[in-house]
Amino acid sequence: MTDAPDPSFPALHRVHPSGWINDPNGIVRTDGRWHVHFQHNPAAPRHGDIRWGHMSSPDLVSWRAEPDSLSPRPGEADAGGCWSGVALLDPARDHAPALVYSGVDGIDDEHARVMLARTSADMTEILEPGHVVADVPEDLRLLGVRDPFVFEAFGHRYAVQGAGILDAAGTDGDDAAPATPALLLYGCDDLESWEPLGTLLTGEDPIAGEIAPAEIWECPQLVQVDGDWVLLLSLWDRRGPAEGRTSRTVHLVGALEQDERGLPRFVARAGGPIDSGPDLYAPQAVQDREDDRVLMWGWSWEGEERTQEQADAQGWAGCLTFPRELALENDRLLARVPREIDALRAREELVIGNAVQVGAPPRLEVRAPHGARVEVLAADGASHEVVALDGALRIFVDGSLLEAIGERTLPHTRRVHLADGEQLRISGQELQAWSLRIPASSE
């Protein structure tokens, strides 16, 4: 990674200098390297012609761009785009990498098929192109279905897809009919053969319905955190405040139990938001069994104040967050900063009092043990508050991306684009601050 001329460019987060980036996908650790894929349009900062971009790292901070991975193929089930999914190491193939993803045909992009591709050991080459392993269910009237996630429980491998089931009065494609969110369940001990098994959870569950109201649950992630099962959901609703686009992300904490058929079902007992900021969606979580932790990346868009014309002018849009280490405390999902991120600090601490003020491009970490106030200062001295944050925090600023990770509070993700002559000011009590830079690669 190198700094880009654009002062908004998050150079510590993006290795691809141009194009569109959204959902993190296909995250896996193998042969000493982390591989992170993501939805990507290299040709323009617009959501179109979606394929999987790919970057890898030995240490979670020194990233290199890898060749793009999955790509749309004319005439195939993914002709309209390669959407969200996961990576895993298949024990049936000597733990060779496999990619499970949503393929859309460009005709009906709301009803995705589950597709499977296989890669080389270093994940830089597709050895077996994507093919359909689970078609769109014909026995359900679906508003949409997408985003497979694979997990293991009770000695078997299962998968879920996010979906929305139209109410009885509705029909496919009926824009007026309401829908209930659901997670479709599959058995996939053999990745080449997926068996539909009903649902793992639906919005008819009273706890899930209250905490995760939506018409489609997108990007479901089911992981074990501190001994409990945690379900991450991204909420999509045609009639919501985002008018059919993304709105927010939530988690449910609960247990996996077996029903009378021995199949898993998720029993929720609590939940809430994943992030308190406006600019995080579609997180992906992965069990890091080598270090006994769960890491989560999210997608951060350009922010509501950034127009498409501005994105076109800068030539890029979107980035992934830093990885976050998930933790549970009294059924609240919290995040910690992975130890590897400390390597981004410059050696010497900045000398500050109770405020730090930087111009573009800002790249720094601020430790705020008693909360902090973030402001933008104009060249004429005027200021406006961006956000006031409570609790003990580590605040990371990289170009236009601000991430605040609290010890006992929700993370906060927000985009802050500085105009010419503006500065970012972070104030509080007993602050510590460090400049951030990309460490020399150890590869």
Side-chain angles (χ1 to χ4, degrees):
M1 300 181 195
T2 57
D3 280 353
D6 184 345
S8 289
F9 188 81
L12 305 178
H13 291 74
R14 275 188 68 126
V15 332
H16 296 70
S18 62
W20 170 276
I21 286 176
N22 62 299
D23 303 9
N25 295 145
I27 301 172
V28 69
R29 190 180 191 182
T30 178
D31 291 337
R33 294 195 72 84
W34 282 99
H35 294 266
V36 176
H37 300 80
F38 45 87
Q39 292 184 26
H40 183 42
N41 177 7
R46 292 174 175 258
H47 187 250
D49 193 29
I50 294 298
R51 62 201 61 220
W52 278 22
H54 179 196
M55 61 184 184
S56 73
S57 171
D59 55 16
L60 294 179
V61 290
S62 300
W63 294 91
R64 75 182 183 204
E66 302 286 3
D68 283 348
S69 181
L70 303 168
S71 298
R73 297 167 297 157
E76 300 291 341
D78 56 10
C82 302
W83 287 11
S84 289
V86 297
L88 66 156
L89 306 178
D90 187 1
R93 297 281 190 97
D94 293 326
H95 299 280
L99 306 178
V100 176
Y101 66 103
S102 297
V104 298
D105 57 15
I107 300 171
D108 178 5
D109 289 349
E110 293 299 330
H111 295 77
R113 297 173 174 87
V114 180
M115 302 188 69
L116 172 68
R118 298 183 184 273
T119 78
S120 58
D122 64 2
M123 303 193 78
T124 61
E125 182 183 359
I126 300 294
L127 300 182
E128 297 181 25
H131 56 282
V132 175
V133 291
D135 214 327
V136 178
E138 296 182 354
D139 59 338
L140 296 173
R141 288 201 296 268
L142 295 171
L143 174 63
V145 59
R146 47 185 169 266
D147 308 338
F149 181 84
V150 178
F151 65 98
E152 294 182 4
F154 310 118
H156 292 281
R157 184 164 55 201
Y158 297 97
V160 291
Q161 270 189 300
I165 302 174
L166 289 163
D167 289 359
T171 59
D172 288 333
D174 182 354
D175 290 338
T180 299
L183 297 181
L184 307 188
L185 179 67
Y186 298 83
C188 56
D189 284 330
D190 179 358
L191 284 177
E192 300 287 345
S193 178
W194 287 43
E195 179 186 3
L197 299 173
T199 59
L200 183 78
L201 182 71
T202 76
E204 294 178 350
D205 177 273
I207 295 176
E210 178 182 356
I211 293 171
E215 288 194 292
I216 296 176
W217 284 335
E218 293 192 304
C219 304
Q221 311 283 299
L222 184 60
V223 290
Q224 287 185 288
V225 181
D226 296 337
D228 281 304
W229 286 92
V230 175
L231 179 62
L232 310 182
L233 299 169
S234 296
L235 310 183
W236 187 95
D237 194 314
R238 293 167 295 177
R239 288 170 287 273
E243 297 180 352
R245 292 179 60 80
T246 51
S247 55
R248 59 194 180 106
T249 57
V250 300
H251 74 279
L252 296 170
V253 181
L256 272 187
E257 298 181 355
Q258 289 178 289
D259 65 14
E260 63 279 1
R261 299 175 296 165
L263 300 178
R265 63 188 184 100
F266 185 81
V267 180
R269 67 169 182 265
I274 291 172
D275 191 282
S276 65
D279 297 326
L280 180 137
Y281 195 74
Q284 181 157 120
V286 60
Q287 305 266 181
D288 179 12
R289 302 194 187 281
E290 291 186 34
D291 286 328
D292 191 24
R293 60 184 175 175
V294 176
L295 296 181
M296 185 196 83
W297 282 256
W299 163 40
S300 185
W301 45 56
E302 291 311 291
E304 292 183 0
E305 76 283 355
R306 204 68 162 174
T307 66
Q308 182 61 59
E309 289 73 22
Q310 288 173 311
D312 289 340
Q314 68 189 20
W316 60 274
C319 66
L320 304 188
T321 65
F322 282 144
R324 301 173 185 180
E325 188 172 327
L326 299 183
L328 276 177
E329 184 176 281
N330 297 323
D331 285 345
R332 296 174 63 230
L333 186 66
L334 301 176
R336 303 183 182 119
V337 179
R339 63 184 182 280
E340 291 92 339
I341 301 300
D342 289 351
L344 292 172
R345 289 181 186 164
R347 181 168 299 178
E348 294 184 1
E349 182 178 350
L350 295 176
V351 179
I352 60 171
N354 288 332
V356 58
Q357 188 170 311
V358 293
R363 309 214 195 282
L364 75 161
E365 176 191 348
V366 177
R367 279 185 179 261
H370 310 291
R373 183 183 184 208
V374 182
E375 304 168 88
V376 171
L377 305 181
D380 62 4
S383 66
H384 73 268
E385 182 177 280
V386 175
V387 64
L389 300 165
D390 296 324
L393 304 164
R394 293 177 68 179
I395 302 170
F396 297 90
V397 183
D398 178 21
S400 57
L401 179 61
L402 183 149
E403 297 181 74
I405 311 297
E407 295 179 4
R408 296 288 185 272
T409 59
L410 278 175
H412 186 91
T413 306
R414 178 180 292 265
R415 303 305 291 275
V416 184
H417 294 270
L418 296 180
D420 289 344
E422 290 184 336
Q423 293 195 320
L424 190 73
R425 176 183 170 89
I426 300 174
S427 57
Q429 297 179 3
E430 302 180 64
L431 301 183
Q432 294 175 282
W434 294 264
S435 295
L436 298 180
R437 86 289 182 263
I438 301 155
S441 175
S442 60
E443 300 177 90

